[in-house]
Amino acid sequence: MPLFLLIRSLFIIFVAIFSGIVCANNIFFFGQHVFYPDSYRPITAKQFDGIRIWGNPKTLWRDIEPRQGVYDFSTLDQHVALAEERGMDIMYTLGQTPVWASARPSELGNFGLGAAAEPLDMNDWYEYVSKVAQRYRGRISAYEVMNEPRIGEAIKMYSPGFFSGSTQQLVRMTELAAQAVHAADPRALVVCPAMDGSDLGIKRLEYFLAQGGGKDCDVIGFHFYLKTGSVNEFTSLLSQIRQLLVRYNLQNKPVWNTEMGVLVGSSGNQVRSGAAGSALAKVYGDDEASSLMLKVQVASSNGGVARTYWFAHDSSSMGSTLPNKKIGQLNGLGIAYQNAKEWFSHGRKIRGCSLSDSQANCAVYEGNELVGRVLWGIPLEPASWLAANPDLVKVHLFNGLTLNIRTSNASSLGALTRNFADPVFISSN
């Protein structure tokens, strides 16, 4: 057996074991998207656990290889180096066909002419993936095959979107990408094309898996955009994904939420809601966005979702920075995100978690030591809380404020948490 195949086989065993550990231990992963190299300047070391590079200007296939065999990695090099300098894991999303390689060069996709089509010659795709994986061997840890393919056989296409080819062509591209990545970098993971569209995304994923699409991936990706903005919708989608993985004998593969987010009013000067009934039908205030983000992170950890990537730090409609991105100042969502990451740092995990939209109570452990509880929807009456939890005395709010429960009262705590609707972390220190 060639050495890279032996290494690959051993690594697949590790991934399978690791996926089980993730589900059992309920770890947290706070991933993010950053569009522009300048946006990294105010980002501190390990402010995010990882970065997903997708949709960034001059990083798509059509940018990297504008002419066959002529490559320009300059901007992608910048993003990789900037993330590395800050100790952040890197995932890169493949795709967006150059005009010269496109099977339909005159078709207008989301990123221009020919971009959404499959390549006319699949060898061109293999060569592109190989070049990227060879260049960033040991630096990019995961490669996502495609962003939000339409899967027209399952859901009627209204535009080419990000991928307009057939599902069988997408399955073949996934197979070739896995071969190219694993040959160039046996330790790198390949993430299946991430479907979007909430319940429609489930139908897309089901069709893709039914055509054999999951067999070559190390990870199952999905975009958990929520039409109702609720934990119950999130857990329902995750349950349906788990059922599909069992049906197609893929239950040992980790699930990653490679993109999700909400419209945030403070991230831009003219943020407008999208179509009614869609996941972007509502513009959130900072407190609402922060509360949903925290609840989804807890629900993700509780459900064994190994990674979550929020979209997008420097977006002008869904960002965690203020409208003036140049100053790098965080809005309420960004502050909550930073604080939540600290709450669940040091490999902390949750156990014994009961949660819904209206109420949750989860124990937080560091190793085998109980270090706190995260909860929402449960009125905090200091006397009764201290009687039941004498060591848990500090209440951490997502805005960064920390209170001592011994010197607080239920009325003041309720006022600071929108009547206990917002998640809080209660710790011993």
Side-chain angles (χ1 to χ4, degrees):
M1 177 184 288
L3 179 60
F4 86 84
L5 287 178
L6 176 61
I7 295 171
R8 180 73 201 146
S9 299
L10 292 172
F11 195 67
I12 287 172
I13 293 171
F14 168 78
V15 169
I17 294 171
F18 179 74
S19 69
I21 292 172
V22 167
C23 290
N25 285 347
N26 302 320
I27 63 173
F28 287 82
F29 185 96
F30 286 81
Q32 187 58 276
H33 296 71
V34 179
F35 285 141
Y36 307 106
D38 283 351
S39 299
Y40 281 91
R41 284 182 296 182
I43 296 175
T44 58
K46 298 187 178 181
Q47 186 169 333
F48 311 124
D49 291 319
I51 294 294
R52 176 182 181 240
I53 300 174
W54 155 248
N56 304 47
K58 300 181 181 179
T59 64
L60 307 169
W61 180 15
R62 62 193 295 108
D63 306 310
I64 289 173
E65 192 179 8
R67 299 189 303 281
Q68 187 172 16
V70 177
Y71 295 94
D72 179 2
F73 287 101
S74 57
T75 302
L76 185 54
D77 281 349
Q78 276 187 285
H79 281 279
V80 171
L82 288 164
E84 281 182 321
E85 288 169 7
R86 288 156 179 79
M88 297 185 290
D89 182 90
I90 304 164
M91 174 169 64
Y92 172 66
T93 302
L94 302 158
Q96 302 311 299
T97 311
V99 171
W100 64 263
S102 179
R104 291 177 294 282
S106 61
E107 176 188 80
L108 184 59
N110 283 2
F111 278 103
L113 293 174
E118 73 283 0
L120 185 63
D121 184 345
M122 288 290 181
N123 289 323
D124 295 328
W125 167 256
Y126 184 89
E127 287 300 316
Y128 148 67
V129 178
S130 293
K131 284 285 186 184
V132 174
Q134 289 166 8
R135 185 178 187 87
Y136 300 107
R137 177 187 172 96
R139 302 176 71 193
I140 291 179
S141 70
Y143 294 88
E144 188 176 46
V145 175
M146 189 69 64
N147 179 76
E148 299 179 359
R150 289 294 167 90
I151 311 294
E153 298 92 338
I155 305 295
K156 183 180 178 181
M157 284 191 192
Y158 290 96
S159 70
F162 299 112
F163 182 75
S164 59
S166 71
T167 303
Q168 274 302 315
Q169 289 164 339
L170 183 61
V171 169
R172 178 59 176 158
M173 291 175 73
T174 303
E175 178 184 24
L176 290 171
Q179 291 174 7
V181 168
H182 294 157
D185 188 353
R187 292 181 62 84
L189 299 177
V190 173
V191 183
C192 271
M195 309 302 170
D196 72 317
S198 190
D199 53 333
L200 299 182
I202 297 295
K203 294 179 180 178
R204 292 182 173 112
L205 178 61
E206 181 174 15
Y207 196 92
F208 176 76
L209 296 180
Q211 302 302 308
K215 62 183 175 60
D216 296 297
C217 306
D218 303 305
V219 176
I220 304 299
F222 196 81
H223 290 179
F224 285 85
Y225 281 101
L226 305 175
K227 293 192 293 186
T228 62
S230 71
V231 169
N232 291 344
E233 182 184 358
F234 175 88
T235 54
S236 174
L237 290 172
L238 180 57
S239 175
Q240 292 175 70
I241 291 169
R242 297 285 187 206
Q243 292 171 30
L244 288 177
L245 298 186
V246 170
R247 183 182 308 167
Y248 294 103
N249 198 28
L250 301 168
Q251 61 269 23
N252 289 329
K253 301 202 177 203
V255 176
W256 291 4
N257 180 2
T258 62
E259 182 183 322
M260 78 168 299
V262 295
L263 295 173
V264 185
S266 61
S267 68
N269 293 315
Q270 295 181 327
V271 183
R272 293 185 176 85
S273 59
S278 73
L280 300 179
K282 175 181 177 180
V283 176
Y284 283 70
D286 280 10
D287 286 349
E288 289 179 296
S290 300
S291 184
L292 177 60
M293 177 276 297
L294 262 167
K295 290 178 180 179
V296 168
Q297 286 285 162
V298 173
S300 298
S301 179
N302 187 63
V305 175
R307 296 190 179 191
T308 300
Y309 293 84
W310 288 84
F311 190 89
H313 180 64
D314 49 354
S315 165
S316 292
S317 59
M318 304 171 71
S320 49
T321 52
L322 292 170
N324 185 351
K325 312 301 180 189
K326 292 182 179 179
I327 63 175
Q329 186 176 340
L330 299 175
N331 60 15
L333 174 60
I335 292 168
Y337 195 91
Q338 189 167 278
N339 288 324
K341 186 177 181 302
E342 180 60 30
W343 295 355
F344 302 118
S345 62
H346 310 296
R348 290 174 179 174
K349 51 189 178 287
I350 56 175
R351 297 179 188 169
C353 195
S354 171
L355 63 85
S356 67
D357 285 302
S358 59
Q359 192 172 94
N361 189 345
C362 307
V364 180
Y365 281 80
E366 189 171 325
N368 292 319
E369 180 185 359
L370 177 69
V371 295
R373 303 193 77 88
V374 61
L375 48 91
W376 61 81
I378 299 174
L380 278 174
E381 204 292 312
S384 58
W385 175 266
L386 289 169
N389 306 274
D391 296 327
L392 302 181
V393 296
K394 290 191 176 179
V395 182
H396 305 268
L397 308 182
F398 58 55
N399 64 6
L401 185 63
T402 299
L403 307 171
N404 192 315
I405 199 166
R406 294 190 183 99
T407 57
S408 303
N409 59 61
S411 178
S412 64
L413 290 170
L416 291 168
T417 58
R418 296 192 301 160
N419 198 27
F420 304 102
D422 296 327
V424 297
F425 175 53
I426 309 179
S427 72
S428 56
N429 54 52

